Amino acid sequence: MSQLLSTAVITATGLTCKAFLHSGLCSITISNLAVLLDALQDQSKRKGQGLITVSNHLSTLDDPIAWGILPSRCYMKPRTIRWVLGASDIMFTNPVFSAFFRNGQVIETFRGEGIFQPALDAAIDKLNQGHWVHLFGEGKVCQPPHYPQVNGVAHLQRFKWGVGRVVMEANVLPLIIPMWLTGFDKLMPEGRPFPFKFFPKVGVKLGVAFGDPIPAARIVTLLDSLPNHRGNQALHTRSFCEEPHGRGVRGEKFPASDVAIIEERKMDHIRSEVTAIIQRAVEDFGRKLSGNQLDRPLA
């Protein structure tokens, strides 16, 4: 029964978004959707490998409006529609909203509770089951006028390390597809007064583009440098261990709490590097489509 209810919510939402995109109230340009559809259709070949899409986050309507571009058949199966992290203080504010979003494959996420909260555990579990998880790397809405600038070049806000954690702790390295959204900031501009802030603007040109999957080689190299990254048992042991080479006297015994500090710092570094690889891929893709200010509409 719960799966039927979830399918009903997703199908109704998807068809509503599709109707909006084809209503004439806005226009939509779609690029390279075949990359995503091929990945969704090749699930049997991926043998348990999860799928991640990662994009910029321009408005509160990015999800679900962007998924109105999918073929209607995708709404009928839980494996061909995304799971996404959703803020508890926005989406789960009452029992009705909570039931709606949970059935819409939204994972409740709590701001300020860090990268080890149950929401990210759930996202990793979905990937381990071969599902599709969408991540907004910035973790919040950020529109082009507010992008940080370096030497006159715009950049996305730093991606949250939770992106790296989800990728690193999946049993099989997920297939990661960069995605770029344009125009959604014009659809729902931030800072409008009440009640206008709750209504989308009309006549906006939207764009949704998909890039080629991020090559796995560099991420694999980083993970290979940390052989215990899955489970990370060293962080929890309290026994005495041998001193690693390069610190103190070789073979010296020391409390495992020191090992924990070393391993935790290394984990943080690898997690940061993995996240940076993914952010660069999304930014580079966006820059190719939207220029150095990341604000040009999709052609």
Side-chain angles (χ1 to χ4, degrees):
M1 179 62 72
S2 62
Q3 186 55 61
L4 286 175
L5 182 56
S6 179
T7 300
V9 168
I10 290 168
T11 302
T13 304
L15 292 177
T16 300
C17 294
K18 186 177 289 293
F20 174 74
L21 292 177
H22 292 87
S23 66
L25 296 174
C26 67
S27 62
I28 181 78
T29 300
I30 306 166
S31 177
N32 228 11
L33 177 60
V35 171
L36 175 62
L37 297 181
D38 288 347
L40 293 175
Q41 292 167 2
D42 288 346
Q43 288 174 338
S44 60
K45 297 178 183 178
R46 298 208 312 269
K47 297 180 179 178
Q49 182 189 35
L51 169 66
I52 292 177
T53 49
V54 191
S55 75
N56 54 330
H57 197 4
L58 292 176
S59 80
T60 53
L61 287 184
D62 296 352
D63 185 301
I65 292 293
W67 308 125
I69 68 174
L70 294 173
S72 299
R73 66 178 183 275
C74 290
Y75 308 139
M76 304 300 294
K77 298 179 181 178
R79 287 184 178 271
T80 53
I81 197 69
R82 92 292 171 263
W83 287 86
V84 67
L85 304 179
S88 177
D89 60 334
I90 295 176
M91 297 182 173
F92 295 83
T93 54
N94 61 60
V96 174
F97 283 7
S98 296
F100 175 80
F101 287 115
R102 286 196 180 98
N103 282 297
Q105 297 191 176
V106 179
I107 302 170
E108 185 175 10
T109 310
F110 295 89
R111 298 181 192 274
E113 292 198 6
I115 67 171
F116 296 105
Q117 61 176 288
L120 274 78
D121 297 337
I124 293 166
D125 185 57
K126 294 302 178 186
L127 291 172
N128 289 341
Q129 297 173 38
H131 286 276
W132 164 24
V133 174
H134 180 74
L135 299 174
F136 291 108
E138 298 157 287
K140 62 180 181 180
V141 170
C142 188
Q143 300 187 336
H146 306 291
Y147 284 162
Q149 299 272 333
V150 178
N151 297 324
V153 176
H155 294 269
L156 299 178
Q157 294 279 354
R158 182 181 64 82
F159 278 18
K160 303 297 185 182
W161 284 6
V163 174
R165 186 199 165 203
V166 168
V167 171
M168 290 170 64
E169 296 190 19
N171 290 339
V172 178
L173 184 67
L175 183 69
I176 307 170
I177 297 176
M179 182 176 165
W180 191 251
L181 306 176
T182 64
F184 287 82
D185 54 314
K186 306 294 193 301
L187 185 71
M188 291 291 282
E190 294 281 287
R192 288 185 295 168
F194 177 88
F196 305 104
K197 65 179 181 180
F198 295 113
F199 298 98
K201 298 182 73 173
V202 299
V204 174
K205 181 178 180 181
L206 305 177
V208 181
F210 299 89
D212 293 330
I214 297 173
R218 189 171 178 195
I219 295 177
V220 169
T221 299
L222 286 169
L223 298 187
D224 285 346
S225 71
L226 194 64
N228 292 324
H229 76 279
R230 302 194 197 283
N232 202 25
Q233 300 277 332
L235 294 180
H236 306 290
T237 179
R238 299 298 299 175
S239 62
F240 280 73
C241 306
E242 282 199 359
E243 178 69 31
H245 179 62
R247 180 171 182 256
V249 179
R250 187 172 178 83
E252 179 184 349
K253 301 294 183 178
F254 68 106
S257 58
D258 287 353
V259 178
I261 293 171
I262 295 168
E263 289 296 319
E264 186 173 6
R265 287 174 180 170
K266 189 168 186 180
M267 284 287 289
D268 287 345
H269 174 71
I270 299 298
R271 197 178 291 118
S272 172
E273 288 295 307
V274 170
T275 303
I277 288 171
I278 295 169
Q279 175 161 1
R280 281 194 294 271
V282 174
E283 269 196 17
D284 289 349
F285 182 52
R287 212 173 300 287
K288 178 181 176 182
L289 298 171
S290 295
N292 281 338
Q293 296 304 308
L294 301 177
D295 61 353
R296 199 166 62 211
L298 201 63

